Every structure is written in structure tokens, then in C-alpha cells.
Amino acid sequence: MAQNLEFNKNEDKMRLMIADIEQKLQKIKLGGGKSKIAKQHEQGKLTARERIDFLIDKNSIFYELGAFAGYGMYEEEGGCPAGGVVMGIGTVSGKKCVIVANDATVKAGAWFPITAKKNLRAQEISMENRLPIIYLVDSAGVYLPMQAEVFPDKEHFGRIFRNNSIMSSMGITQIAAVMGSCVAGGAYLPILSDEALIVDKTGSIFLAGSYLVKAAIGEDIDNETLGGATTHSEISGVTDYKCMDDKDCLTRIRNIISKIGETEKAGFNRIQSVAPKNNPKDIYGIMPDSRDKAYDVRQIISCIVDDHEYEEYKEKYGQSIVCAYTRIDGWAVGIVANQRKVVKSKKGEMQFGGVIYSDSADKAARFIMNCNQKKIPLLFLQDVTGFMVGSRSEHGGIIKDGAKMVNAVSNSVVPKITIVMGNSFGAGNYAMCGKAYDPRFIFAWPTAQIAVMGGAQAAKTLLQIQTATLKAQGKDISKAEEAALLQKITDRYNEQMTPFFAASRLWVDEIIDPAKTREYVSMCIEVANHAPITKPFNVGILQT
């Protein structure tokens, strides 16, 4: 692709953002720090990421998800890197599996609120895509100072064991390896799995440890005798395999997974992959360095999709959304993408800026329905500021057309994958398959911004509210004080719009390098292909 000064400026900005993400990830991957890692090694144990690296097939990729979970949260507790658990999708003995590994270097693997949310997300991925799930258990249980936020509610700790039971009834393979502590309610996870392994001398399972047993019933007993590998493999029969060490345990898991039979597939169409027309790294230069600038989303698409596989749907109608049948790494895909460029129409020049108009919403809804009829997975490329407002739009039925699009997205039965490239504001987030609309996977680029509205607009609105409140209390506010308050509000709001804020709370599965978008989408469809579509597509009642 031809480059110019603007392209180079954009590219430099994107590379700096990617470097910042990598730097943050390197720190996160240290977990509780080098001293805690050294202590784990002294105990004869591998770390969570070392276990996963040994478990997956050689020269295969582990797609880590939720690495930024807990980022910037729990600072008073010393932080919780990656939510104290490593989770993602890897290939084990030739089979795609969800892998969940407690990181014992972070608060002894204790469960924070975000830890529970991340584990539930792992189980959701396993259930939606019918993937085997492997739990590498090494946890001290619930982080007691925050137990009220982890223990009793529907989406808290106990939901894990409910899911274990549901997944078993669904025929989803669950393998649990106790490679360290496994205490209290957490002890049910491995035993609710299909098969449980335990590592000798380092693994232990009990409802209450020796100190609590002494306090509760006065019995003197050590943890190994109470719930070690020998006890549970030779006396209680709680575990199925006694392993010599971590590597022996992980090798046995590989052997178990290797014998799982083939299951029915969804049957998504795939042919031989063809390289994109443009280099995926050209995205760095195409994506503007400011979220207010226009660009042609078709140029982004040309960096992601297979060459010569692009049929645009209703190209000249509803131009603020681009819809196209295409292929990514050979997989058939339907793309729904927000357009930000300036275009010439019969009505004159229009700068779309990611706004959804009535005709675009109507077009997108029809396209989404078509993809469902044809059993084609959907890819949403978000850079949306919302729906068009004003009397002309209201009289034209923008609410009706927007509702039609939301309905089609909500009722889709084909896998939906969402990439937040730029803005993701207001109802536009919903219509373009935001987190609330069950995308099978959702990723953010470093340029992503997720909020109810743009920062400047929101900050001014919040400033008006706060100054009105102060004046109602009889307090005068000078221009300088008003400017300082506006800056404070803007900074706080802008921080909440960042992809890091979203990823820390698992609103997105991961922040990814835009140049790897094609790779991630292909992986997601491959994974989704393991789950046959059993529900008929039906949108119910639509206002036409």
C-alpha cells in the first residue's frame, strides 16, 4: 500500500501503543514477582504459564484470554495480575482445549471477584464451543477480605461448580489436576470433573486444613495425611491418578485428551486460505492517530480478508455500514463494519464518522438474517459513535430500524465475533454486537474506546450537572475552578474509556495487535466449528 506522511504518523502512533501493551503484559506475566516464582520452583512446582507451555503441543500457539483481568484493580490489596489465573485456548494432543491454571504466585492463587468472573468466562467458552476444559488447580481458595463479593451471588464462586455439573451433562470433557492447594468449596471442582489427577507431595485436597480441623474438632493432623496424594489416591478414592511431579501430571493429561473421540461439527464452510490483498500491518498506517479522523474501513478489511473473496452487500445503499460476504483464512465470513469515510451520495457529501443511519441499520439487519440463513459466522468491526439523531432521523424511523438491527443481532444463532477497532459508544455498541449481545469472542485494538458517549461530550454534560449542584448549594465557582473541574472529570472519564479499563473487567476477552486480527478470527471460527447449531433462527416480531 502506498504510504504518505499521514500513514507514517498513524503507524508510529500504533506501534507505540502496541509496545506499551507488550510492556504491560510482560509485567503481568511475572504474576506475584520473581521471588514468588523462585519459591514455586523451590517447592518443585512449575508456574501456571510454565505448566501450560509444557501441556500444549510443541510449536502450537496458546491464545491467552483475559491477561489484563484485574489490571489497575485491587491496588489496596497489592494488585491481582491477570486475576490470579491464566486462561485461554491451546492445542493439546491435536485438540483445541480451554485451559485454566491458577497462579499460586498471586496471593497463593486466592480467588478475587475478577478471578471468579474469569473462571466463569472460561467455562462459558467451553460450553458455547463444546471444547474440552482442563483445570490446573493451585489455589488457597476465596480471598477472605473480599468474600462478600466472591461467595454468594449467582455469578460468584459457587456458579463454577454448578457449571461443572451442567457441562458434565452436556458431555463436555473436564479434566482437573490438583498441582497445589485445593481447599474448602474449591475442593469440589476437581471431583465434579470427569477425571482428577493429583501431584504427590505438592497437591492436597480438603474441605478444611489442619489448622481449622484443630480449631473445629481438636484433631491433630498434618495436611499431607489429611488430604495429600496418597490419602486421596489410596484411601478416599477421591482422585483417579497419583502423579510423581508436575511434568508427569501434564503428560498424563495429554494422554487422556489424545483418546477423546471426534464430535459432530457445525460445518462452517472453509476452502484453501489465500493471503490478504494488503499486508495486515498496513492497518497501523490506515487507522488514524485520532478517533475523530475519517478513514475507509474497506482498506482495513482488505488487510484482514483473503484476496479475491469479497462480495459487498448493497454497496451503494446504507453506506455508513459496510456489509460483505468474504473469507478469512479460508473460512466463509459475513462482515458488518462501521464506515467513517466521507462519501458522495445523491444528497451531497456526507461524513459518516461511524454513525448508524436508518438505511444502514435496515441493510445490516437484512444482511445478518441472510448470514444466519446461510450458516455463515458474523464478524463485527466496531468503530461506532451511535445512531443518527435529530428530527429527520426520528421522522424516518431510526428507532424502528435500529430495533430491527438489534433484534437480528440478539437472535443470531451463528457465531458472532466482535472487534472493537475504535469507538464503541452508546446504542451503537449494542447494535454492533457488544458484550451484552453474546459475541462468541470479543477483542479490542489498542485504539478502542468503550463508553456511553464520547469523552468531551460526556465531560461537558457531567460538568453542567456538578456546577448546577454546587450553585444550588449556594457555592460560587470561578472560571479557573470550572476549568480545573472539567479537566478532572475529563481525565477520569477518558481513563474509563480505555481498552485497559475494559479488559481489566473482562468486557473484552483481550487487547490484540491489529495485525493479528486475521489469525484470531480464524482461531475463533475453528473453535466455534466444534459446536453444531441446534437452535433455529427466528427474529420474532419486527416493525417493518
Side-chain angles (χ1 to χ4, degrees):
M1 179 175 287
Q3 298 184 16
N4 54 34
L5 184 61
E6 192 69 22
F7 184 101
N8 293 335
K9 183 180 175 184
N10 295 339
E11 184 179 40
D12 289 345
K13 178 78 176 288
M14 183 69 82
R15 288 187 183 279
L16 285 171
M17 296 173 86
I18 292 169
D20 179 51
I21 288 169
E22 287 300 320
Q23 189 175 28
K24 286 179 168 66
L25 279 173
Q26 290 305 313
K27 187 175 180 180
I28 286 169
K29 288 179 179 180
L30 287 174
K34 293 181 179 179
S35 62
K36 295 289 180 65
I37 293 172
K39 185 177 180 182
Q40 187 117 337
H41 290 161
E42 288 169 10
Q43 294 171 345
K45 296 159 63 176
L46 300 173
T47 64
R49 286 186 172 79
E50 288 169 346
R51 286 167 176 165
I52 291 171
D53 188 55
F54 187 89
L55 177 65
I56 63 174
D57 295 351
K58 301 300 179 192
N59 301 317
S60 68
I61 298 172
F62 177 64
Y63 291 91
E64 185 170 350
L65 305 175
F68 281 97
Y71 180 79
M73 301 167 67
Y74 315 118
E75 294 300 323
E76 292 182 5
E77 287 77 22
C80 186
V85 62
V86 183
M87 181 270 284
I89 296 170
T91 305
V92 180
S93 297
K95 294 179 174 61
K96 285 283 188 289
C97 299
V98 177
I99 304 171
V100 185
N102 297 115
D103 186 350
T105 70
V106 180
K107 293 287 193 298
W111 288 59
F112 283 68
I114 198 67
T115 316
K117 188 174 183 179
K118 189 170 176 179
N119 275 265
L120 288 169
R121 176 63 181 137
Q123 291 182 320
E124 181 181 46
I125 291 169
S126 175
M127 286 189 280
E128 285 185 334
N129 301 288
R130 296 300 181 106
L131 295 184
I133 186 167
I134 300 166
Y135 308 99
L136 305 180
V137 184
D138 194 348
S139 171
V142 169
Y143 183 64
L144 289 177
M146 303 189 77
Q147 66 85 25
E149 299 173 56
V150 183
F151 174 66
D153 210 347
K154 182 178 178 180
E155 300 301 327
H156 285 177
F157 188 65
R159 189 76 170 184
I160 304 288
F161 317 126
R162 176 265 188 192
N163 285 353
N164 287 141
S165 305
I166 297 297
M167 292 163 76
S168 182
S169 72
M170 293 170 67
I172 295 171
T173 299
Q174 299 179 82
I175 307 296
V178 180
M179 310 181 80
S181 297
C182 183
V183 301
Y188 289 106
L189 183 146
I191 314 312
L192 283 166
S193 299
D194 300 344
E195 294 180 272
L197 305 87
I198 187 167
V199 178
D200 194 23
K201 299 296 184 286
T202 57
S204 59
I205 311 173
F206 33 67
L207 295 180
S210 56
Y211 291 117
L212 187 53
V213 167
K214 173 68 174 176
I217 64 173
E219 181 183 2
D220 279 313
I221 190 169
D222 63 86
N223 283 338
E224 183 64 25
T225 306
L226 181 65
T230 300
T231 295
H232 287 308
S233 298
E234 301 177 21
I235 300 173
S236 72
V238 164
T239 53
D240 305 307
Y241 307 93
K242 180 181 178 181
C243 308
M244 295 182 296
D245 55 27
D246 279 12
K247 291 185 177 181
D248 179 41
C249 181
L250 297 166
T251 300
R252 289 183 185 226
I253 294 173
R254 289 183 52 79
N255 292 339
I256 293 168
I257 295 292
S258 71
K259 297 173 180 65
I260 297 174
E262 288 297 320
T263 56
E264 184 184 354
K265 299 290 192 292
F268 302 127
N269 184 268
R270 192 181 196 185
I271 62 173
Q272 184 66 38
S273 176
V274 181
K277 182 178 181 180
N278 292 327
N279 187 332
K281 289 192 175 181
D282 283 348
I283 294 172
Y284 299 169
I286 298 167
M287 202 66 184
D289 63 344
S290 168
R291 299 292 355 105
D292 301 323
K293 293 181 180 178
Y295 64 94
D296 188 347
V297 76
R298 293 182 184 87
Q299 291 184 331
I300 298 286
I301 292 171
S302 70
C303 298
I304 297 172
V305 306
D306 292 11
D307 196 11
H308 308 307
E309 282 292 344
Y310 190 106
E311 292 86 39
E312 187 165 343
Y313 178 78
K314 293 183 182 290
E315 181 181 353
K316 299 299 182 182
Y317 176 76
Q319 293 184 68
S320 72
I321 289 182
V322 172
C323 298
Y325 296 112
T326 184
R327 291 188 184 274
I328 294 179
D329 196 23
W331 292 105
V333 181
I335 289 182
V336 181
N338 299 115
Q339 178 62 286
R340 292 187 62 91
K341 68 176 280 192
V342 177
V343 300
K344 287 186 178 180
S345 68
K346 291 180 180 179
K347 301 172 185 176
E349 282 199 350
M350 299 175 69
Q351 181 169 338
F352 290 129
V355 176
I356 301 175
Y357 291 78
S358 284
D359 53 0
S360 301
D362 176 68
K363 176 176 83 170
R366 290 175 60 87
F367 180 74
I368 290 164
M369 293 179 205
N370 283 340
C371 286
N372 275 273
Q373 293 279 47
K374 296 178 176 68
K375 204 162 75 171
I376 299 173
L378 285 159
L379 173 62
F380 293 84
L381 300 178
Q382 281 196 13
D383 194 348
V384 58
T385 50
F387 285 88
M388 190 61 190
V389 297
S391 60
R392 185 173 177 178
S393 291
E394 297 294 355
H395 296 170
I398 185 69
I399 297 174
K400 177 185 65 178
D401 292 320
K404 190 187 302 182
M405 184 177 175
V406 168
N407 188 315
V409 172
S410 301
N411 286 296
S412 286
V413 295
V414 295
K416 298 170 290 191
I417 301 159
T418 300
I419 309 290
V420 185
M421 304 186 303
N423 298 330
S424 182
F425 296 159
N429 169 282
Y430 302 158
M432 289 296 293
C433 198
K435 181 68 172 177
Y437 288 78
D438 296 325
R440 200 69 67 93
F441 296 93
I442 179 168
F443 302 105
W445 285 0
T447 43
Q449 295 185 142
I450 303 174
V452 72
M453 64 178 72
Q457 183 183 1
K460 289 176 183 176
T461 302
L462 290 167
L463 176 66
Q464 289 173 356
I465 294 169
Q466 290 199 24
T467 52
T469 301
L470 290 170
K471 287 176 181 177
Q473 295 171 351
K475 299 176 182 176
D476 291 325
I477 180 169
S478 67
K479 289 291 183 183
E481 289 172 330
E482 187 175 300
L485 182 57
L486 176 61
Q487 188 61 52
K488 182 180 178 181
I489 293 169
T490 302
D491 291 345
R492 184 175 70 245
Y493 194 87
N494 286 341
E495 182 185 348
Q496 294 175 356
M497 291 171 61
T498 68
F500 301 111
F501 192 88
S504 70
R505 288 151 181 81
L506 295 175
W507 299 346
V508 296
D509 288 316
E510 197 61 84
I511 307 171
I512 65 170
D513 180 343
K516 294 183 178 179
T517 300
R518 174 180 165 86
E519 177 187 334
Y520 272 84
V521 172
S522 176
M523 180 275 294
C524 292
I525 300 174
E526 180 185 356
V527 162
N529 196 41
H530 287 76
I533 297 172
T534 57
K535 181 182 175 183
F537 176 63
N538 187 346
V539 295
I541 297 172
L542 285 176
Q543 295 285 346
T544 57

